[in-house]
Amino acid sequence: LKKVQLFESLNEEQLQHILSIADKQIFSASTVLFHENDPGDTFYVLLKGSIKIFTRGSTGEEKVLSIIGAGESFGELSLLDGRPRSASAQTLEPTTVLSVHAKPFLELLRQQFDITRHIMAELCRRLRDTNQHVYDLTFLDARTRVLKNLILLANRHGQRSGSIITIRIPLNYDELAQMAGVPKQTLAQVLRDLQDRLILNVGANDYTLDLSRLNG
Ligand code: CMP
């Protein structure tokens, strides 16, 4: 639990309290934890694995809004404003979460200002990310959006070794295209080009970027 940023300021007794109000759950890959518009009564902390947060258009096509990795949390909006889930959540790989029900979650926020502050900072970050994404969709061309999305994923979820960053999240081309807001063919073209220039290596379950080759 100490690795979870949300809980980093808590002492041993407070961590024990979290464990006493939380349930540990393990999900296999591609499990939907909840759908957009469901009533929401649970807050989640992701201990291991990854999930995608997404919404659907009227003809069923998906838009991936965010990827949540180990140590991060989600599902707070419905608990804070009492409205239905703002998006759907689905595991991308075998995933372990801690789940906390609305009542003990809200009680925790009342008691622990450090946790409340973390949640507020996380909401701020999401709003900033969303503003940035609106900017990208409005002002950047499709190829730039693909590269930018890869760099954002690398900075947030990648493991860095010198100029090499590896994103170990099993995202397929559809999901990457939905994140960048480009057609799948455009995504495939850009990734092929980045691979030809040795900027990107596409593995079975990971993407590796060599930032030293990016200039120009
Ligand atoms: P909630 O609305 O309860 O359920 C869906 C969750 O997805 C939401 O809480 C947030 O935790 C998360 N979420 C929704 N939209 C975004 C977004 N744009 N960026 C990151 N996370 C989001």
Side-chain angles (χ1 to χ4, degrees):
L1 271 196
K2 284 234 160 77
K3 284 194 213 133
V4 177
Q5 234 203 347
L6 188 59
F7 302 142
E8 69 188 0
S9 62
L10 302 189
N11 63 30
E12 203 52 44
E13 190 187 334
Q14 290 163 331
L15 288 175
Q16 283 305 325
H17 173 66
I18 304 278
L19 286 177
S20 74
I21 59 171
D23 281 320
K24 191 167 157 181
Q25 291 175 288
I26 299 175
F27 297 103
S28 51
S30 299
T31 307
V32 175
L33 272 63
F34 52 76
H35 290 279
E36 184 173 352
N37 290 325
D38 283 353
D41 63 357
T42 309
F43 172 72
Y44 296 91
V45 177
L46 216 152
L47 297 180
K48 193 168 165 231
S50 53
I51 71 137
K52 65 173 174 181
I53 300 289
F54 66 99
T55 186
R56 273 189 205 283
S58 54
T59 53
E61 70 279 19
E62 281 183 16
K63 165 73 182 162
V64 175
L65 298 169
S66 186
I67 302 296
I68 310 281
E72 299 182 322
S73 57
F74 61 99
E76 73 294 335
L77 288 189
S78 296
L79 274 56
L80 293 173
D81 67 9
R83 297 178 58 195
R85 293 295 191 194
S86 61
S88 306
Q90 183 174 21
T91 58
L92 291 164
E93 57 190 308
T95 292
T96 308
V97 300
L98 277 186
S99 59
V100 182
H101 270 276
K103 212 169 154 213
F105 172 74
L106 293 172
E107 189 55 37
L108 192 65
L109 295 194
R110 239 189 306 276
Q111 289 166 357
Q112 302 281 346
F113 182 68
D114 278 343
I115 293 189
T116 307
R117 201 175 43 79
H118 263 297
I119 298 264
M120 291 194 295
E122 181 58 26
L123 291 174
C124 297
R125 189 174 69 90
R126 285 179 190 170
L127 183 55
R128 286 175 188 274
D129 287 352
T130 302
N131 287 353
Q132 192 62 54
H133 192 53
V134 170
Y135 175 96
D136 294 353
L137 289 173
T138 311
F139 297 119
L140 300 184
D141 63 63
R143 294 178 66 82
T144 311
R145 289 208 299 273
V146 170
L147 181 58
K148 184 162 178 195
N149 180 53
L150 274 179
I151 293 173
L152 287 176
L153 269 174
N155 285 339
R156 189 162 151 203
H157 299 289
Q159 279 134 352
R160 191 169 188 146
S161 161
S163 66
I164 310 280
I165 307 188
T166 304
I167 308 161
R168 282 182 227 286
I169 295 182
L171 288 163
N172 60 34
Y173 277 23
D174 282 317
E175 288 155 341
L176 283 181
Q178 292 155 16
M179 289 187 84
V182 300
K184 194 175 167 185
Q185 298 97 301
T186 309
L187 178 105
Q189 250 172 31
V190 178
L191 295 197
R192 215 175 305 125
D193 178 48
L194 292 173
Q195 285 173 287
D196 288 347
R197 291 159 60 197
L198 303 180
I199 294 169
L200 175 72
N201 182 63
V202 179
N205 278 318
D206 55 42
Y207 296 87
T208 303
L209 278 172
D210 184 349
L211 297 182
S212 70
R213 294 183 176 272
L214 246 186
N215 298 336

